[in-house]
Structures are given as structure tokens and as C-alpha cells.
Amino acid sequence: MKICVHGAGAWGTAVAVNAAARHEVTLWARDAAQADAMSAARENSRYLPGLALPASLAVRAGDIAQAQAGADLVIVATPMAALREQLIALRGTAAAVAWLCKGVEPALDASSPASFGLLAHEIWAQVAPELRAGVLSGPSFAQEVAEGRPTALVAASPHAAVRDMLVDAFHGPALRVYANEDIVGVEVGGAVKNVLAIATGLCDGLALGLNARAALITRGLAEMTRFGLALGARAETFMGLSGLGDLVLTSTGDLSRNRKVGLLLAQGRTLAQAVDSLGHVAEGVYCARTVVQRARGLGIEMPIAEGVVALLDGRMSPQDAVAALVGREPVPESVQLQQSGAAAASPRQSP
């Protein structure tokens, strides 16, 4: 199989390295200087220092059409904000297309209260519906995938051929890929877990304890499920790799950028200081407001996500955000679970 990966960040490099062991792979970088440096050093020193690139992996810049000529599969490994541009550029391609980004696109008209950002599959439907496309997602840090450590991912698409191609491209002894038709649920899980990981980082940064962390993750999963069901996802998806699995990893893993944002805010850093210190994109910072906005429009209550937005906007201190969550009125958990299962039919939920 011939594969072209768009984007030479950590994730793009990691999947390119993984696939190059079995397929013909080209890694395309927007920055020509970065591509030249990677080709010469056989290393992505900026994003994955110390990891040797296999000799079989071609690193290119320049004409992207030339780089992907004849490709069977194109992987878009850019941040969420660049996905629309990438899909527009891919209109008419015969290759299958899959994206790696997890999050929500910034609203195209930020001045309009009725305008909100879209999930990746919604962007696809809007700008390039003719593409055979899908998403590769799940609980995974790029560093560990690049190192060949055991990982499980989900290939989601309404097209069986795209799901099969992603499994063929990446499934191997260390990286296991499972197919799923529910692209909505997989993408909701990938987006919302980033927001919830900020809250969990805040919890850990304030030293609230492991009990509090477990409660926050569990209630966060309920929020994620309510939101996803209202958008047409399947409930079982959120108990799988792209729901519970990705939420646990991103909320507890030391490599999680979103969790680190919460930790730094708990230490008294400003949001700007926290983001600047990362050196990578933390998608939860950029999609939290949109998730909450869309949830409000659907009549879905997401108190943890609401608290994260208040924190990011500077309307609450870390201590006040936690106090607001702890001080909510109790309701029976069994009622919440029943309501979550009926979210699509009756969107108004108990918190």
C-alpha cells in the first residue's frame, strides 16, 4: 500500500514510522527546512527527539500533489484548525482519506451566537462529501506509538472499505486497530476527553486525591455520553477505546498536554503561560467553549465542561471551579444513567 501522511508533527511522524515498516510511506511537511533537517538527520528533533526514522520513510515538502501522487491512503495529521483546508485540497482524490485530529473546529463566525465549530466528520460532509474518508482515533500518545509500544486504536468510517484500509495499513503486533461504524461517537469521544482532561489535571494539581480523580473521570464519561447521544452517536461507543479508553489515558497520563494545562492552572499559571509552555497544541483549550455552546443548544447539561470554560475564561479561580462542582445538588446516579440512554429522544438532562 502507498501512503502519504500530511503533517510532520508528533502524530504524523509516529504513524508514518509505524506504517513504513510494511508499506511505502511519504511524510509531507509544510516547512521545507523541517523536511530537509529530518531527511538529513533521520530524526524529527522538534517533536520526537531521539527517535530514528526508518530508511524506507521518505520525507518531503513542496508540491503536495506530487508527494501524494498514486497514494492509496492519505492521512491528515494536522491540528483541527487546518482540517478544512486539507479536505478542500483533497477534493477529487481517488485515495481514501483519514484524519488523526481530535477536537472541534473554531467557529467560522465567532461574532455570531448561532455559529459554532464543527466536528471533523461535519466538516467533511460540508466541504468534500465525495471523499471516501474516516478517522483514526483512540487512546494513544504519539511518543509511545513511535516507539512501538502496545497501543489500540479505532478506525471509524461509514465506508467499510476505508475502515478495512486503515486496519490493513496500521494493524500489527504492537498497534491494534479495531473498526467501528460510529464516526460520530468516536469523534465526540476524541474531542470531549480533551476538555475533561483539563479538569482532571486541575484536580490533580490541587492535590484533591485519587478518589476525586475517579469521580471526575466517571462523571465526565456521563457528560460525554449525553452529549454524544444527542448528536446521534451510539452509547456503546463511549464504553470503548475512543470513549472510556481515551478519557482515562488523557486524564491520567503524564504525556497528556491537556492534563498538563490543568496542572499548570492549578499552580497559578495564566492560560497563556500554560499554553506557551507546551510547545504543542492542546486541543481542549480551543474546543471547550464550542462543546459547551453546542451542549447548551441541545439542552444537555455538562457541568464539568462548563467549569473548564469558566476557568479558561478567567471567570473562576481553580479553587472556585472545584467548589462549584462539589457543591452541586445530588441526584440518583441510576436516574442519570437512564436519562443518558434516552438523550437523543429527550435531551434535557440532570447534571
Side-chain angles (χ1 to χ4, degrees):
M1 186 185 304
K2 188 173 182 179
I3 302 171
C4 182
V5 179
H6 293 194
W11 245 121
T13 303
V15 298
V17 167
N18 177 276
R22 300 176 303 280
H23 305 285
E24 180 184 348
V25 182
T26 297
L27 177 60
W28 182 84
R30 182 184 296 272
D31 185 344
Q34 181 192 11
D36 290 344
M38 289 175 63
S39 294
R42 303 310 300 170
E43 175 187 4
N44 188 337
S45 59
R46 179 177 179 183
Y47 293 106
L48 291 174
L51 176 75
L53 302 181
S56 59
L57 176 62
V59 183
R60 295 184 180 176
D63 188 347
I64 195 169
Q66 183 179 0
Q68 69 186 34
D72 303 295
L73 175 63
V74 173
I75 301 294
V76 180
T78 63
M80 193 70 194
L83 180 62
R84 177 179 294 268
E85 173 190 351
Q86 290 286 315
L87 293 181
I88 290 173
L90 285 166
R91 286 172 177 166
T93 183
V97 176
W99 45 86
L100 306 180
C101 45
K102 303 174 183 179
V104 183
E105 181 185 48
L108 297 180
D109 182 5
S111 64
S112 170
S115 176
F116 51 78
L118 303 179
L119 291 160
H121 72 277
E122 295 172 319
I123 302 171
W124 164 38
Q126 186 180 87
V127 303
E130 75 284 357
L131 291 177
R132 296 178 300 127
V135 61
L136 187 65
S137 191
S140 48
F141 290 133
Q143 181 74 41
E144 294 191 0
V145 170
E147 292 171 352
R149 299 194 183 191
T151 302
L153 298 178
V154 178
S157 172
H159 301 288
V162 174
R163 299 193 298 269
D164 292 343
M165 186 172 288
L166 287 169
V167 172
D168 291 343
F170 299 107
H171 190 86
L175 183 59
R176 316 299 289 178
V177 182
Y178 298 86
N180 191 327
E181 298 178 9
D182 183 15
I183 192 170
V184 179
V186 168
E187 290 195 341
V188 167
V192 177
K193 59 94 181 182
N194 287 327
V195 180
L196 300 173
I198 296 174
T200 310
L202 178 67
C203 171
D204 289 345
L206 293 175
L208 300 183
L210 299 180
N211 294 348
R213 179 203 282 179
L216 193 59
I217 290 173
T218 306
R219 297 314 310 148
L221 180 63
E223 289 192 17
M224 176 193 293
T225 303
R226 290 198 295 264
F227 182 58
L229 291 176
L231 291 173
R234 300 175 184 174
E236 60 267 24
T237 299
F238 299 103
M239 296 307 298
L241 290 167
S242 61
L244 178 61
D246 212 355
L247 175 60
V248 169
L249 178 74
T250 312
S251 296
T252 64
D254 290 337
L255 295 176
S256 169
R257 297 190 294 273
N258 292 284
R259 177 174 181 270
K260 188 174 182 180
V261 169
L263 288 169
L264 292 172
L265 292 174
Q267 294 170 10
R269 303 281 188 91
T270 66
L271 178 59
Q273 289 171 338
V275 171
D276 288 346
S277 72
L278 297 178
H280 298 257
V281 174
E283 290 284 6
V285 172
Y286 304 105
C287 75
R289 295 173 186 84
T290 296
V291 167
V292 166
Q293 183 185 9
R294 292 195 71 168
R296 289 171 180 168
L298 292 165
I300 302 298
E301 292 190 341
M302 300 183 69
I304 299 173
E306 291 265 10
V308 169
V309 172
L311 178 68
L312 296 177
D313 287 348
R315 291 183 282 112
M316 280 189 179
S317 69
Q319 293 77 10
D320 288 342
V322 169
L325 288 173
V326 172
R328 294 182 67 84
E329 290 296 321
V331 296
E333 183 181 38
S334 58
V335 173
Q336 291 180 306
L337 294 175
Q338 291 167 5
Q339 290 175 333
S340 293
S346 180
R348 179 63 65 181
Q349 303 297 320
S350 295

